[in-house]
Amino acid sequence: MRHLLSPLDLSVEELDTLLDLASDIEQHPDKYRHACDGKKLATLFYEPSTRTRLSFEAAMLNLGGNVLGFSSADSSSAAKGESVSDTIRIVSCYADICAMRHPKEGAPLVAASKSGIPVINAGDGGHQHPTQTLTDLMTIRSLKGRLNNLVIGICGDLKFGRTVHSLINALVRYTGIKFVLISPNELRIPSYIRQDVLEKKHVEYQEVERLEDVIGGLDLLYMTRVQKERFFNEEEYIRLKDSYILNAAKMALAGKDMLVMHPLPRVNEISVEVDDDERAVYFKQVQYGVYVRMALILTLLNINIPDA
Ligand code: NCD
């Protein structure tokens, strides 16, 4: 039985196969309409979510399966003090696969160790968010045509942003990737990623504070929200929350092919005037998220569709 706790749980070859499957699903959705007939996905969400939970549910429904679950810790037995280990043993009796989001780093790993069904990490605290990374990789591969030889700007809350940590972990396995890490000093990338991932793998990167200075040289700009819920100090959040606002004036400094991505939800960091710019692909990214989650469910449940 396999789980997806980190993007590194899939080798580069497995990831390629999964993205090929997701593209096939995009092109031939009818072929997959009954692939999960009779199967159940449980969504165990101890933290708020719109896209991730609904896209998992849409993915399973598109495959002909059913969904069950809870969308907040308050409405589950966690409110009575039940442990994640016990909850997953129970859910293993009800469902065939589950997606778990939890505010504590490592909770899905604990769940996986006690689970009788595949566990997908749908975001654990400020740590990892591997299915957002699959979404991001499919977006980049589909719209840029490659996952190598790219200059990738990542801007905003690089300290607490789990989507950033997972994306960097996944992309360092490709060749010719250069990162431009744009953040206020207080929200720089954690040192464990700088040392254990970027430096260890000899990946080229630079850290800067001003977006305007670097936007002209990027193939891709990945904007992120300042993660309010992970701050200990509200004053610090208020001081940093509007550090970056991407607007039409800044987009005018960017190349004509630079894609703008964002895992969403957006707060103020991308002005709505950017939405109509052809280079803004964050709403397309959401659609890719459904295809990759469909492909992931099929992969972890070992379901093969003939001639897929
Ligand atoms: C992200 C998350 O939950 O980490 N959202 C998502 O799943 N698309 C990003 C965020 O909340 O800022």
Side-chain angles (χ1 to χ4, degrees):
M1 189 177 51
R2 291 193 70 177
H3 308 285
L4 184 76
L5 303 172
S6 143
L8 301 182
D9 291 342
L10 294 167
S11 68
V12 173
E13 293 73 30
E14 286 172 323
L15 207 98
D16 276 347
T17 307
L18 190 141
L19 295 180
D20 287 343
L21 178 59
S23 298
D24 195 64
I25 292 171
E26 177 187 11
Q27 280 150 35
H28 310 285
D30 282 345
K31 219 159 83 182
Y32 298 89
R33 210 141 272 173
H34 295 288
C36 284
D37 277 359
K39 300 279 185 205
K40 291 191 280 291
L41 164 81
T43 49
L44 313 178
F45 277 60
Y46 294 83
E47 233 193 16
S49 168
T50 301
R51 260 153 307 279
T52 305
R53 186 170 61 82
L54 294 185
S55 68
F56 264 114
E57 296 190 357
M60 193 48 151
L61 296 173
N62 289 345
L63 293 167
N66 290 301
V67 294
L68 65 165
F70 52 83
S71 56
S72 77
D74 301 347
S75 63
S76 77
S77 282
K80 298 180 186 168
E82 186 169 61
S83 67
V84 162
S85 305
D86 280 2
T87 302
I88 196 69
R89 288 186 179 192
I90 309 307
V91 172
S92 299
C93 302
Y94 303 149
D96 301 285
I97 185 164
C98 84
M100 174 182 283
R101 168 168 291 189
H102 203 286
K104 287 212 179 102
E105 286 83 1
L109 176 67
V110 171
S113 70
K114 294 286 188 299
S115 181
I117 58 175
V119 175
I120 301 169
N121 177 5
D124 61 327
H127 186 216
Q128 297 261 17
H129 193 344
T131 63
Q132 182 62 47
T133 296
L134 299 180
T135 304
D136 299 339
L137 296 181
M138 182 176 185
T139 307
I140 300 170
R141 201 179 83 153
S142 301
L143 302 179
K144 279 279 177 203
R146 63 183 192 278
L147 285 170
N148 46 22
N149 301 324
L150 291 165
V151 180
I152 300 178
I154 309 185
C155 177
D157 187 345
L158 311 189
K159 178 178 181 188
F160 295 117
R162 56 193 173 195
T163 62
V164 172
H165 306 157
S166 284
L167 186 61
I168 292 177
N169 262 298
L171 280 170
V172 295
R173 299 191 292 180
Y174 297 88
T175 53
I177 297 290
K178 180 183 171 192
F179 291 107
V180 182
L181 304 172
I182 309 146
S183 74
N185 191 38
E186 295 85 342
L187 299 178
R188 282 172 68 194
I189 199 86
S191 55
Y192 76 89
I193 299 219
R194 195 177 309 116
Q195 284 155 18
D196 300 348
V197 183
L198 295 167
E199 285 169 10
K200 202 165 168 187
K201 297 256 158 86
H202 308 291
V203 176
E204 210 184 320
Y205 74 96
Q206 86 189 89
E207 294 185 277
V208 298
E209 289 205 29
R210 276 172 49 88
L211 175 59
E212 297 86 324
D213 294 348
V214 291
I215 194 169
L218 305 177
D219 294 312
L220 183 78
L221 173 60
Y222 193 92
M223 294 295 295
T224 64
R225 171 180 74 90
V226 176
Q227 306 278 300
K228 180 179 182 190
E229 64 277 31
R230 315 243 180 262
F231 276 73
F232 291 112
N233 173 340
E234 192 173 352
E235 271 167 41
E236 171 119 308
Y237 167 71
I238 292 169
R239 188 166 59 76
L240 294 171
K241 73 183 171 68
D242 291 328
S243 299
Y244 300 100
I245 300 183
L246 182 66
N247 56 16
K250 289 191 188 115
M251 286 299 288
L253 303 172
K256 66 175 182 20
D257 296 324
M258 184 199 76
L259 299 184
V260 184
M261 294 172 58
H262 191 305
L264 302 177
R266 130 184 78 188
V267 188
N268 287 331
E269 59 278 1
I270 303 181
S271 157
V272 289
E273 69 190 14
V274 176
D275 296 358
D276 295 329
D277 191 307
E278 279 187 357
R279 296 168 290 181
V281 298
Y282 28 90
F283 293 117
K284 278 191 196 158
Q285 207 176 331
V286 176
Q287 183 63 61
Y288 289 125
V290 180
Y291 303 133
V292 287
R293 289 186 175 96
M294 290 170 75
L296 179 65
I297 291 170
L298 292 174
T299 304
L300 294 182
L301 288 179
N302 263 317
I303 294 174
N304 291 304
I305 300 298
D307 73 285

